[in-house]
Structures are given as C-alpha cells and as structure tokens.
Amino acid sequence: MTELVIVGAGPQALSLCCLLLQKRPRWRRRLRIIDPSGRWLSCWQRQMERFEIPCLRSPSPHHPHPNPNALRSYAQERRRSRELEGPYGLPRTGLFSEFCQSVVEEFQVAHQVQAVSLEGIHLEAGRSGSLHLTLSDGSLIQARRLVIATGAGEPVLPNWVQRIVRPYPKEALQHSRMIDLAACRGLQGQHVLIVGGGLTSAHLALGAIQRGARVSLMCRRELRSKLFDTDPGWLGPKYLKTFRSEPCWRRRRQQVLAARDGGSITPWLTMTLQREHRQGSLQTYENCQVRQALWSAGQWRILCEEGRNLLADRIWLATGHKLGVSLQPLLRQLHKQQQIELVDDWPVLSDDLRWPGTNVHLMGGLAALRLGPAARNLFGGREAARLISRAAVKA
Ligand SMILES: Cc1cc2nc3c(=O)[nH]c(=O)nc-3n(C[C@H](O)[C@H](O)[C@H](O)COP(=O)(O)OP(=O)(O)OC[C@H]3O[C@@H](n4cnc5c(N)ncnc54)[C@H](O)[C@@H]3O)c2cc1C
Ligand SMILES: NC(=O)c1ccc[n+]([C@@H]2O[C@H](COP(=O)([O-])OP(=O)(O)OC[C@H]3O[C@@H](n4cnc5c(N)ncnc54)[C@H](OP(=O)(O)O)[C@@H]3O)[C@@H](O)[C@H]2O)c1
C-alpha cells in the first residue's frame, strides 16, 4: 500500500512534497505523485508562456520551497536580485521557473511524477480509511492517504455564449484557457473583443496589440487596479486571524468573495493599457456586457445590454474559472460516497484540509473556507502544505 498519493504536480503539490520530505526524508519511498504530464509544474509553465507573462503577481516568499527566504537567497547568490521587482520582490517569470527547477533538484523529486491521471476514488468501508484509486492507464492502487491538488477549476462561460447559434470557426471564440498568443495566426488588422477585467484580460490585450490587432476590452464593472488579488493583509495574520475565528461558513464564503472582489489588474499593467488607449490601439468598454453575439459573413455582430453594437473578428473570454465540488468529477465521486457539508458548492473541510470522514485532503481554491481568499495562489499552497504535512506526519 502507498502511504500518500498526491494528485497533480503543480506548485501547490510541490510545496507539500518538499515540506514532507524535509520533515521525513524517508517518506520518499512512500510517496507517489501523479500528473498526466509526467512533469512538475507543466500547467504553470504553460500558462506563463501562453500569455507571455513577464513577472509573477505574488511576493518573493511565495514559492514551493519550505524556506520562505529561499527564492531571495537563490537570486542573491546568482546576482539576480534585480529580477525581484518592487517593494514586495515580485519574481520575474524566468527566475521563478529556474528557482523551481532547483527546488525539484534539491529535493530529488524530478523522477517522482508518474504520467497518469486519477480517474476513480473508492473509499474502503470500515475503519482502515484506505483508498482504492483507479488510474488512467487502467491500474489500481491502494493508498492510505490522498491529496487532491488539481488546480484551476472549470472555465467560466457567460450565458450569452451558450445561446450562440453555431457554426463559427473555432478560433473566432475562445476562452483564455485555450489561447496561446504565440500560436495565434493572422491577428494583424483584426478586431479582437476581450471580455473580462482580470489580469489575464490585460495580458491578452497587450499580446494581441503587439501582433497588430485592434483590441476592445469589455468588462462588466469598472476596471480595477490592484497590486495583488487581495489586500496584502490577507497574506498574513492581519485579516486571516479574524477570518479563521469566524464560526459561520457562509459568512466566511462571503468574506473570501469580497476580499477578491472579482478581477483586477496590477498598477503597472493598468498604466500600460492606458498608454495603448491613448495611442488608439485599445478601446475599453466599462460597465458593459454582451447580450447577444451572432456570427455572420465572417464576423461577430455583437449587441450589448446597453444597446451598443460592435463588430469583431474574434472574441476572447478572459472570464476566469469557477470552483465547486459538483464541477469536479473526482470530488463528485467522493461526495457520493461520503456526503459532507457544502456552502454553495464549496466544501467545509476539517482543519487539516481533510474531506471529513476520509483520508482525502484538498489543496487549492476549494480549501478557501479554511485558508481564506488566497487559497488558490502560491500562498495557499504553502499554507495547505503546512496543515496537511503536519497531519500526515502525526498519523
Ligand atoms: C495566468 C495565471 C497566472 C498566475 N500567476 C500567479 C502568480 O503570479 N502568483 C500566484 O500566487 N498565483 C498565480 N496564479 C494562480 C495559480 O494558478 C496558482 O498559483 C497555481 O497554478 C496553482 O497551483 P496548483 O498546483 O494548485 O495548480 P496547477 O498549477 O494548475 O497544477 C495542477 C496539476 O494537476 C494536474 N491534474 C489535474 N487533474 C488531474 C488528475 N485527475 N489526475 C492527475 N493530475 C491532474 C494538472 O495536469 C496540473 O499539472 C496564476 C494563474 C493564472 C491562470
Ligand atoms: N502572474 C500574472 O501576471 C497573472 C496573469 C494572469 C492571471 N493571474 C492570476 O490568475 C488568476 C485568474 O486571473 P483571471 O484574470 O484569469 O481571472 P479573474 O481574476 O477571475 O477575472 C475574471 C474576470 O472575468 C469577469 N467575468 C466573469 N464572468 C463574467 C461574465 N459572465 N461576463 C463578463 N465578465 C465576466 C470578472 O468580472 P468581475 O470582476 O465583475 O467579477 C473578472 O473581471 C488571478 O489570481 C490572477 O491574479 C496572474
């Protein structure tokens, strides 16, 4: 029987793996990490490349190494401290990637990721709490403990998208999840409508402009400029202490949503967008929403709620992702076998992020009722790793 199976090999899983191995080096043989890519951080790397992101949005202590100062020391030793930007030391993407690679080497986990995905979870009846797992290659494994760290969730598709009458070319309407700027052909002279007001919308807008497109950025509220997704008080005890003493789960959920308050764009990118606006390559439509989109004669005819009409060659949805137990097949299976309290589809986990009554732990955004609004970020990965490793080692 495997002691611990970690599903997903993103930065959150790497945080846990390193912390566990630091506490218990002998656990190496008892650990099994699975991810269809067979590599660490493949989704992370891809998302940074696809949107051509030059710099992270999180401060330098947020990374997968157990020592929060490790990234700063790595940069100093290589005389690359200038790649940690501003008062919070936001890491340049290249520096962060190379650092993560060095973490993988330091903890000797490069070959530990098995290239399969988890497809089925079966909870064994009785007190043992062990788990039977079905993998995509058809094999079955038995595990004492499982950690699900599978990341983002499902793309948000606005209601008007569901009402579009097909057919239209695939590249004419895409969610950001499917967009790779480097692979976009023929943007020169095209009009691209980008829907959304988060940081992804800003990166896509700049990427399209650089390729000669005329861009319209449409968001349903006003564009908001913020350094981080949340106030920095949520990345430490300032707000988290009160949040974690709140006994009402529904109020906690409201606090998480209010703290993130939808999408926002960093001050530096806001300034860059304003410059593009002044130069005429970007048009912004705030407090504006699409009511209907019709593909006709090789173009989108778009009618907005406010009565405005637009023509566009492509629509890119930078509308983010949503998380919920009912949206994830693995969690749906788990909930069928072991029902737990849900608050609007978010699970109420125990304080070690365990699905109550089982030996399954969750990392990522679905741990937000315990970890707060940064649960899905690198910060959340560190917090989750701390709680889960403590439980695993104690057991
Ligand atoms: C463009 C972009 C930029 C971001 N920048 C930042 C930032 O600067 N700072 C920050 O803190 N946060 C940032 N975020 C949030 C960010 O997504 C997270 O910090 C980070 O990727 C979360 O890591 P993760 O390990 O939870 O998920 P992921 O990196 O998505 O990894 C999840 C892994 O699970 C695997 N998986 C999925 N299903 C299965 C299965 N059934 N079986 C096996 N494996 C499976 C996937 O293949 C994937 O490799 C950004 C998000 C986006 C979209
Ligand atoms: N490191 C980086 O440089 C970088 C780059 C990209 C992203 N990120 C991070 O990745 C995470 C996700 O960012 P994201 O921009 O993809 O998503 P996001 O922050 O969730 O923003 C999604 C945007 O889509 C809008 N939206 C959602 N549903 C909509 C609908 N039905 N109709 C119209 N608009 C709708 C939202 O509007 P409301 O605001 O009104 O809710 C919001 O502005 C964030 O944590 C972000 O910081 C980091």
Side-chain angles (χ1 to χ4, degrees), residues 200-222:
T200 299
S201 71
H203 282 290
L204 289 180
L206 294 176
I209 290 168
Q210 275 161 20
R211 288 164 175 79
R214 192 163 51 84
V215 173
S216 295
L217 183 56
M218 183 183 288
C219 52
R220 60 185 175 183
R221 296 194 281 172
E222 258 137 49

Side-chain angles (χ1 to χ4, degrees), residues 155-165 173 195 220 289-293 305 317 319 322:
V156 172
L157 299 179
N159 290 337
W160 54 266
V161 172
Q162 339 268 348
R163 294 196 297 267
I164 294 175
V165 183
L173 174 67
V195 178
R220 60 185 175 183
Q289 287 203 66
V290 175
R291 178 188 291 172
Q292 194 187 35
E305 294 290 354
L317 301 170
T319 42
K322 56 182 175 223

Side-chain angles (χ1 to χ4, degrees), residues 4 14-28 30-31 64-67 106-107 109 352 381-395:
L4 174 63
L14 185 57
S15 302
L16 174 62
C17 203
C18 297
L19 192 58
L20 265 174
L21 290 174
Q22 188 187 58
K23 287 182 186 216
R24 292 284 186 277
R26 280 180 302 131
W27 270 49
R28 186 177 304 285
R30 304 191 199 171
L31 264 182
H65 195 287
N67 172 5
E106 178 184 335
F107 287 86
V109 288
D352 56 3
R382 298 183 70 81
E383 289 291 290
R386 191 172 56 77
L387 299 174
I388 298 172
S389 63
R390 198 164 57 192
V393 166
K394 215 173 5 174

